[in-house]
Amino acid sequence: MDLGLADRTVLVTGGSSGVGLATVRALLDEGARVATCGRDADRLARAAARLDAGPDQLLTGVCDVRDAHAVREFTTRAAAHFGGLDGLVNNAGQSRMKRLAETTAEDWRDELELKFAGVLNPLHAALGPLRASDAAAVVNVNAVLAKQPEPRLITTSAARAGILNLSKSLATELAGDGIRVNSVCLGLIDTGQWTRRHAAAGSGMPYEEWQAELAADRGIALGRLGRAEEVAYAIVTLLSPRASYITGTGIDVCGGVGRGVA
């Protein structure tokens, strides 16, 4: 099915690896024009080199989403380069593996700043161009931690819950501007960190078997970790004009892991 994204322009933060890179690739495959940024210039350059896209379809820039000025500068450049913006994917972020007793006040400040700045700075920068689009959409990449907190990830779980709440509020507030806002909530996705953990564990167990044991331990019904491209498909679908009556919702891409019915 044609998703109607050809010649649309989407800005993706954190597009140099993992889910962000898979989203950039999926958008390019749909004929969209993509602007993407990341903090690591070398990683961003390597990612761009792997994508079969010229400057008329792909624009990259080094940018930290916590730096509002840098985000605005890149967003302005992207809108000027492509003649507008139709979509925004707020993907930049990471997890902080700590329990309450291990956290400091600085951990809490850093985690909340990263998660909220990662949504609000790009959104504020993109609002003008998005309001001018006839099919504007924002997708916030979140995690099932927002609804199913884990003690081992206490700061990240709390911050993710706040972003899910914020996304719902933004969907209501921006509906009058014709901007849809949705979330994609991830479970365990194999973006490289799990293969590194498998190697570090030194168990001698084949990765597929190790992954299956991990999935069983975490209660993943499908018995495996997810792939970045599986998340990207959900993100691209929500960006599509075909999803024009979907806003204020969240799609779980988590292999069936869940401790509740909502």
Side-chain angles (χ1 to χ4, degrees), residues 135-138 174 178-182 237-241 243-247:
V138 176
L174 298 178
I179 302 172
R180 297 183 296 107
V181 182
N182 291 292
T237 298
L238 289 173
L239 289 169
S240 167
S244 57
Y245 202 53
I246 302 175
T247 195

Side-chain angles (χ1 to χ4, degrees), residues 150-198:
E150 288 191 20
R152 291 170 290 187
L153 293 156
I154 190 166
T155 59
T156 299
S157 295
R160 292 293 192 190
I163 292 301
L164 192 62
N165 187 292
L166 174 64
S167 299
K168 194 79 169 181
S169 297
L170 291 174
T172 300
E173 184 164 339
L174 298 178
D177 292 321
I179 302 172
R180 297 183 296 107
V181 182
N182 291 292
S183 301
V184 171
C185 296
L186 316 186
L188 296 190
I189 306 299
D190 189 357
T191 58
Q193 62 171 319
W194 294 106
T195 51
R196 291 191 291 272
R197 290 186 186 184
H198 169 254

Side-chain angles (χ1 to χ4, degrees), residues 1-10 21-34 51-53 57 229 232-242:
M1 181 176 71
D2 180 6
L3 292 178
L5 287 166
D7 299 324
R8 297 279 182 182
T9 300
V10 181
L21 178 57
T23 300
V24 171
R25 181 177 286 113
L27 285 165
L28 292 173
D29 288 345
E30 290 293 327
R33 297 171 296 212
V34 183
L51 298 168
D52 185 19
Q57 201 175 8
E229 60 268 25
Y233 300 147
I235 294 170
V236 171
T237 298
L238 289 173
L239 289 169
S240 167
R242 306 296 185 203

Side-chain angles (χ1 to χ4, degrees), residues 36-45 59-65 67 70-71 73-74 77:
T36 190
C37 59
R39 290 185 296 172
D40 188 314
D42 291 338
R43 180 183 290 181
L44 192 62
L59 176 72
T60 64
V62 177
C63 182
D64 187 328
V65 292
D67 185 337
V71 171
E73 191 173 68
F74 178 68
R77 181 158 66 94

Side-chain angles (χ1 to χ4, degrees), residues 118-152:
V119 170
L120 293 172
N121 284 343
L123 179 65
H124 283 308
L127 270 180
L130 288 175
R131 285 184 174 121
S133 171
D134 63 351
V138 176
V139 177
N140 294 324
V141 180
N142 207 324
V144 292
L145 293 173
K147 295 176 280 187
Q148 299 176 177
E150 288 191 20
R152 291 170 290 187

